[in-house]
Amino acid sequence: MPTLTALLLALVLTTATGVAAFAADPVLTILYAGNTYGYFDPCPTCGPQKLGGLARRATAVENLRKTGPTAGKLLAVAGPWEFAPEVSAAPPEPDKLPVVAKAHERLAYDAMAVTPQEMAILSEHKAALPKNAQLLGDAPVTRVLSVGGQTIGLVYFPMPKDVSAMVPDKLMDATAKAASELRGKVALVIGVSPWGAIDEEAFINTRKGAVDVLLGSGGGSGFASRLSKDSRTLWTRAYIKGKTINRLDLLVLPGKPDFVWKIGENFTAKVDPLDENFPQDAAVGALLK
């Protein structure tokens, strides 16, 4: 019984931090997915709810884009490893990749990152790279876009040659430099990473404040939010196989050099399970049949 009580308490506390009531409407909401590994249907082994699927994700994106306090203020990002795992050669149904790529394109993300390994598999199966997707290379790439009247800077992290080795310092330095060149031009700098949790944590704690928000994927656990040691970088990481979607509601954007993130005060974070609360989008569902 004490163990059950502790588990229930942990669940309550986790939920409370994720869905803390807004002090104000969000200035920007970031919806993030990654590490889907080529899965496109609800998980068949996740119990009666069968979590996930691109058709449910489409509904989640569409709802937040058009309704409530997030309307017009949504940044939807698909991170690396959406099409294939980083540690194996192919997704579960590689022959479906052409329609899976079209389904991702139909979701109309504001940004999407694709690794060279994924691109090779897509090409092998005659699947086109979705429009607006950024193919990662050996150097960081930056992009500036406007969401809800805010100017946002994206830094696509470079792809190391060996995903199983530590990311070299020269790639971390180049990424931090690319981010610094956006400072003064944008209200928020967001990193999109394929590196995995160990290297991402090293980056945010050694290249302090290089990015304001880090959207992580690759090896390691998923989570709603963590902060760098100095609280200048807000970090979220995708869970696997597309069963959930990460959401960050930013109540303010960094405006001063001494700005730090404080959960419940200037941001909230949660992970939404894509369950029956998200009906399957008919068009995406039909495409994937």
Side-chain angles (χ1 to χ4, degrees), residues 132-146:
N132 204 33
Q134 175 65 50
L135 180 61
L136 303 182
D138 57 6
V141 174
T142 60
R143 179 184 169 199
V144 176
L145 64 163
S146 180

Side-chain angles (χ1 to χ4, degrees), residues 156-234:
Y156 294 97
F157 283 23
M159 193 69 210
K161 291 182 180 179
D162 184 356
V163 295
S164 65
M166 298 295 291
V167 173
D169 280 340
K170 65 179 181 180
L171 285 189
M172 291 200 180
D173 290 341
T175 303
K177 181 181 179 182
S180 71
E181 291 172 353
L182 289 172
R183 293 291 175 193
K185 303 175 184 177
V186 298
L188 185 77
V189 179
I190 299 174
V192 183
S193 165
W195 289 355
I198 293 174
D199 291 296
E200 289 165 2
E201 185 171 24
F203 179 81
I204 64 175
N205 288 323
T206 59
R207 279 69 175 177
K208 297 181 179 179
V211 296
D212 301 309
V213 176
L214 178 56
L215 309 178
S217 64
S221 300
F223 49 77
S225 71
R226 293 181 188 172
L227 300 178
S228 58
K229 290 180 180 178
D230 59 7
S231 297
R232 292 171 63 189
T233 299
L234 169 58

Side-chain angles (χ1 to χ4, degrees), residues 40-208:
F40 53 87
D41 279 337
C43 170
T45 59
C46 297
Q49 293 186 357
K50 296 185 178 180
L51 299 177
L54 292 181
R56 283 179 174 165
R57 185 190 297 181
T59 298
V61 173
E62 187 73 2
N63 287 350
L64 289 179
R65 203 180 285 286
K66 292 189 174 180
T67 61
T70 60
K73 296 181 286 185
L74 180 71
L75 177 69
V77 181
W81 311 115
E82 282 293 273
F83 296 108
E86 75 275 14
V87 293
S88 67
E93 296 186 54
D95 291 341
K96 295 281 287 189
L97 280 173
V99 292
V100 171
K102 289 180 181 178
H104 279 284
E105 184 171 289
R106 191 173 183 89
L107 265 72
Y109 307 114
D110 298 288
M112 185 177 195
V114 176
T115 68
Q117 293 91 328
E118 292 176 282
M119 188 68 248
I121 295 170
L122 287 170
S123 297
E124 179 185 351
H125 295 278
K126 298 180 173 55
L129 185 70
K131 294 177 183 177
N132 204 33
Q134 175 65 50
L135 180 61
L136 303 182
D138 57 6
V141 174
T142 60
R143 179 184 169 199
V144 176
L145 64 163
S146 180
V147 181
Q150 304 291 340
T151 305
I152 309 299
L154 293 177
V155 182
Y156 294 97
F157 283 23
M159 193 69 210
K161 291 182 180 179
D162 184 356
V163 295
S164 65
M166 298 295 291
V167 173
D169 280 340
K170 65 179 181 180
L171 285 189
M172 291 200 180
D173 290 341
T175 303
K177 181 181 179 182
S180 71
E181 291 172 353
L182 289 172
R183 293 291 175 193
K185 303 175 184 177
V186 298
L188 185 77
V189 179
I190 299 174
V192 183
S193 165
W195 289 355
I198 293 174
D199 291 296
E200 289 165 2
E201 185 171 24
F203 179 81
I204 64 175
N205 288 323
T206 59
R207 279 69 175 177
K208 297 181 179 179

